[in-house]
Amino acid sequence: MTPSTKPVTRLTSAYVRDKGLRPLVATISGSVLILRAKGLRREETIDLAACFDIAVKGRIARERADRAKKRKGGKA
């Protein structure tokens, strides 16, 4: 796989509400993800390792909630 050494910017299919409904622009530069609403200058930056950690924690929380719901539904 090719390492990301040069910044790559793409217009995503996601929309955000920031001064109206706007498409999201994503830039990957090294190990950093930069997000901004199209047409605006304000950027939000997050490390890709942090994105991975958030995704894993979210998956674990969903799995726990599903198991708890299944247990509660089975007893009733």
Side-chain angles (χ1 to χ4, degrees), residues 12-27:
T12 68
S13 59
Y15 284 82
V16 294
R17 291 193 184 278
D18 192 358
K19 295 183 181 177
L21 191 62
R22 296 172 180 265
L24 194 63
V25 177
T27 303

Side-chain angles (χ1 to χ4, degrees), residues 17-76:
R17 291 193 184 278
D18 192 358
K19 295 183 181 177
L21 191 62
R22 296 172 180 265
L24 194 63
V25 177
T27 303
I28 296 178
S29 179
S31 66
V32 175
L33 177 63
I34 302 167
L35 301 170
R36 69 177 178 85
K38 185 175 181 183
L40 300 180
R41 293 181 181 183
R42 181 178 299 165
E43 297 178 339
E44 303 299 332
T45 305
I46 188 166
D47 185 60
L48 288 174
C51 288
F52 183 79
D53 288 342
I54 292 168
V56 169
K57 288 177 184 177
R59 178 181 51 84
I60 291 170
R62 276 191 312 275
E63 289 173 355
R64 284 182 181 167
D66 290 344
R67 282 195 304 259
K69 187 177 179 181
K70 188 176 179 182
R71 277 193 303 257
K72 188 174 183 179
K75 291 181 180 178

